[in-house]
Amino acid sequence: MKVILKIVFVLWACCWVWEVKAASHPQIHVALLGDSNTFIGGENCDKDTGWSKWFKERFAPASCKSYARSGATWTNTSSTRINLTEYTEKLGDNNVIYNQVLRLIESTQKGNDVTPELIIIMAGTNDAWFKTSRPQLFSKTPQQVFSSPQSITSKKVGQVTSLAESVRFSCEKLMEAFPYAQIILITPMQAAKAGVTGIRQVGNIIEECGRYMSLATIRLDYQGSVYAGRELSVKRFTSDGIHTNKEGARRNGYFIAHQIESILQF
């Protein structure tokens, strides 16, 4: 009986070690782009109210750095310009994912940061929430934007003013700069103040753009732990209906790590 118990224990220990190793990715450097729910995890992904901290813990990559900014949108405006030094945590014409893309590219080219093998972009909340500040948000459908197979990165950023164009513009720039990196898109989670309909409309466009570019998309609005209706009455997983608290961040981070584990192509 003792021998059997020892064998069972050894097998269990081996399985446990295998699971730990399977969840560890020491060969993968990760870069994160996004808005406030990524930003609050900190540049080094070590703040517990941000999903990035818990993702980093569960996924265990070689490194994980965030370039996210609070207030950022996918969608550019006609006034958006390339600006790698402007810092704001609020909505602004230059506070867009494309400028985060350029900061990431510049930082790696200068040798300040390592070249990422995995790039995760989680944004869209502010596009839905402040759509009056992004007047061309829904002006073009993904079908219209991808009607031509030619890359659109030769355009000026102020000419790319719909959500679908902005997603294609930023992702194609990343694919040019990091041809061997895997890019994964994450739609915004439900947000009590942004409206469920708007969040889902934005999520649908992001997901469809991902399909055109063969990029995997995680639908956090459908599969995440935050339910807008519940957060309106009881703040269970958010601090204010928009931003995750520690438990909401942990659930999202672990969920995202699990989802990415299943779609990795390395």
Side-chain angles (χ1 to χ4, degrees):
M1 185 65 179
K2 289 184 178 180
V3 173
I4 294 174
L5 288 174
K6 285 183 179 179
I7 293 173
V8 171
F9 176 79
V10 170
L11 289 173
W12 173 84
C14 288
C15 290
W16 183 84
V17 170
W18 180 86
E19 286 179 0
V20 170
K21 289 183 177 179
S24 178
H25 301 86
Q27 79 283 14
I28 299 177
H29 293 278
V30 181
L32 307 179
L33 310 180
D35 53 30
S36 56
N37 270 304
T38 303
F39 174 77
I40 60 177
E43 183 177 301
N44 296 314
C45 308
D46 55 2
K47 309 299 183 184
D48 63 13
T49 55
W51 69 270
S52 57
K53 189 263 189 194
W54 304 99
F55 163 80
K56 180 180 177 181
E57 176 184 286
R58 178 60 59 91
F59 194 73
S63 67
C64 189
K65 182 170 180 179
S66 173
Y67 297 81
R69 287 286 183 270
S70 180
T73 62
W74 269 111
T75 310
N76 308 307
T77 74
S78 58
S79 299
T80 300
R81 299 292 181 266
I82 292 174
N83 192 319
L84 279 65
T85 58
E86 179 179 308
Y87 181 89
T88 181
E89 296 178 19
K90 298 180 180 180
L91 188 76
D93 289 324
N94 296 329
N95 191 4
V96 293
I97 295 299
Y98 188 70
N99 277 327
Q100 294 180 29
V101 168
L102 297 183
R103 285 197 296 112
L104 168 60
I105 293 172
E106 181 186 65
S107 186
T108 56
Q109 288 179 343
K110 288 184 175 180
N112 296 328
D113 289 314
V114 295
T115 298
E117 286 82 27
L118 176 61
I119 301 170
I120 304 170
I121 313 173
M122 177 180 165
T125 300
N126 296 313
D127 300 74
W129 193 3
F130 301 105
K131 54 181 177 289
T132 56
S133 297
R134 298 293 185 262
Q136 300 300 310
L137 179 70
F138 300 126
S139 61
K140 291 187 179 180
T141 66
Q143 184 178 7
Q144 292 171 323
V145 169
F146 287 91
S147 60
S148 171
Q150 288 186 320
S151 172
I152 64 171
T153 55
S154 60
K155 291 186 176 184
K156 292 183 179 180
V157 65
Q159 297 175 317
V160 182
T161 57
S162 70
L163 172 59
E165 284 177 298
S166 298
V167 172
R168 181 180 183 184
F169 192 60
S170 289
C171 290
E172 286 187 343
K173 188 69 175 179
L174 285 171
M175 289 187 278
E176 289 177 0
F178 307 108
Y180 300 106
Q182 185 165 352
I183 301 169
I184 294 177
L185 309 178
I186 303 178
T187 65
M189 67 183 192
Q190 291 188 29
K193 298 177 183 179
V196 173
T197 301
I199 288 290
R200 287 187 175 170
Q201 189 174 4
V202 165
N204 289 341
I205 290 174
I206 293 170
E207 183 178 28
E208 191 171 351
C209 288
R211 282 198 294 269
Y212 275 107
M213 294 181 287
S214 299
L215 303 180
T217 302
I218 298 172
R219 290 300 300 257
L220 206 60
D221 52 334
Y222 285 116
Q223 300 173 300
S225 60
V226 175
Y227 174 57
R230 179 176 58 203
E231 296 297 321
L232 280 170
S233 56
V234 179
K235 302 298 183 290
R236 185 173 179 183
F237 297 128
T238 69
S239 58
D240 56 3
I242 295 287
H243 304 97
T244 51
N245 57 23
K246 179 179 178 180
E247 181 59 19
R250 184 185 69 81
R251 287 170 177 255
N252 279 346
Y254 284 1
F255 172 75
I256 289 168
H258 175 74
Q259 291 294 304
I260 290 178
E261 178 77 31
S262 68
I263 59 180
L264 279 177
Q265 296 176 354
F266 294 108

